[in-house]
Amino acid sequence: METALQHVQLAFSDPPHLRYQDSVYVWFTHPAGAVVQLVRPERITIPLTHWMVETAFSELDRRYAGHRALTLVLDYSLMLGRTSASRSLLLGRVRESGSRFTHAHVILPPVMSPALTRSIESSFRVAAESGVDTRLSGSVRQAIATSALVCAP
């Protein structure tokens, strides 16, 4: 039986450092940063966002304590949508910790509703106000190559 995971180009061939219910994988990288990838179609909900801003960020913070030039790749290409509350939770973390990131690459789903498009554009403005150079990328592999990221041990 085929699964959606068989059709996803994973960020790295190494096993992820963190997983959320086999729908989100996180790899930590060198140079310092992280790749967060949806590996199956998923709606971004409060529990998932809470895991990202608490569990995944705590591990990022532990690995790169005090580091001020982090790179983040968010592969949302399989995102089915997101709740407004999850957006607020994520933007709260961006406002709080955005100054630690210098670059963010975001991979969006190929088709988005006008409301989601406006929401994403607004999120990019918040990131820019925090000093994060946020760019759209065509694929997770393109984002990784642009920032010359490799999977951390």
Side-chain angles (χ1 to χ4, degrees), residues 64-84:
Y64 305 114
H67 202 284
R68 290 279 199 220
L70 299 170
T71 296
L72 178 64
V73 175
L74 288 173
D75 182 356
Y76 281 171
S77 59
L78 296 177
M79 179 173 64
L80 298 176
R82 68 177 177 189
T83 65
S84 58

Side-chain angles (χ1 to χ4, degrees), residues 2-152:
E2 283 193 359
T3 65
L5 189 55
Q6 291 172 320
H7 299 287
V8 173
Q9 185 176 39
L10 294 178
F12 297 104
S13 58
D14 301 281
H17 294 101
L18 298 173
R19 294 175 188 235
Y20 178 81
Q21 298 182 354
D22 284 330
S23 62
V24 179
Y25 289 2
V26 177
W27 291 268
F28 297 104
T29 64
H30 290 298
V35 175
V36 178
Q37 184 178 32
L38 290 175
V39 295
R40 70 175 188 206
E42 191 76 39
R43 182 168 172 78
I44 307 295
T45 61
I46 294 240
L48 190 154
T49 304
H50 181 56
W51 178 85
M52 286 183 358
V53 301
E54 294 300 327
T55 303
F57 186 82
S58 293
E59 180 61 15
L60 177 77
D61 196 37
R62 184 191 70 75
R63 285 175 177 258
Y64 305 114
H67 202 284
R68 290 279 199 220
L70 299 170
T71 296
L72 178 64
V73 175
L74 288 173
D75 182 356
Y76 281 171
S77 59
L78 296 177
M79 179 173 64
L80 298 176
R82 68 177 177 189
T83 65
S84 58
S86 67
R87 176 184 178 268
S88 297
L89 189 58
L90 184 60
L91 289 180
R93 176 57 81 176
V94 169
R95 286 185 182 102
E96 179 183 314
S97 304
S99 64
R100 294 192 55 204
F101 294 86
T102 52
H103 302 288
H105 300 270
V106 181
I107 300 92
L108 295 174
V111 178
M112 296 189 308
S113 70
L116 183 57
T117 300
R118 285 189 303 277
S119 173
I120 296 289
E121 289 168 352
S122 174
S123 298
F124 276 34
R125 282 192 296 277
V126 170
E129 290 167 5
S130 297
V132 183
D133 176 23
T134 305
R135 299 172 185 210
L136 290 176
S137 292
S139 72
V140 69
R141 293 282 176 95
Q142 178 187 22
I144 288 167
T146 298
S147 293
L149 300 175
V150 295
C151 188

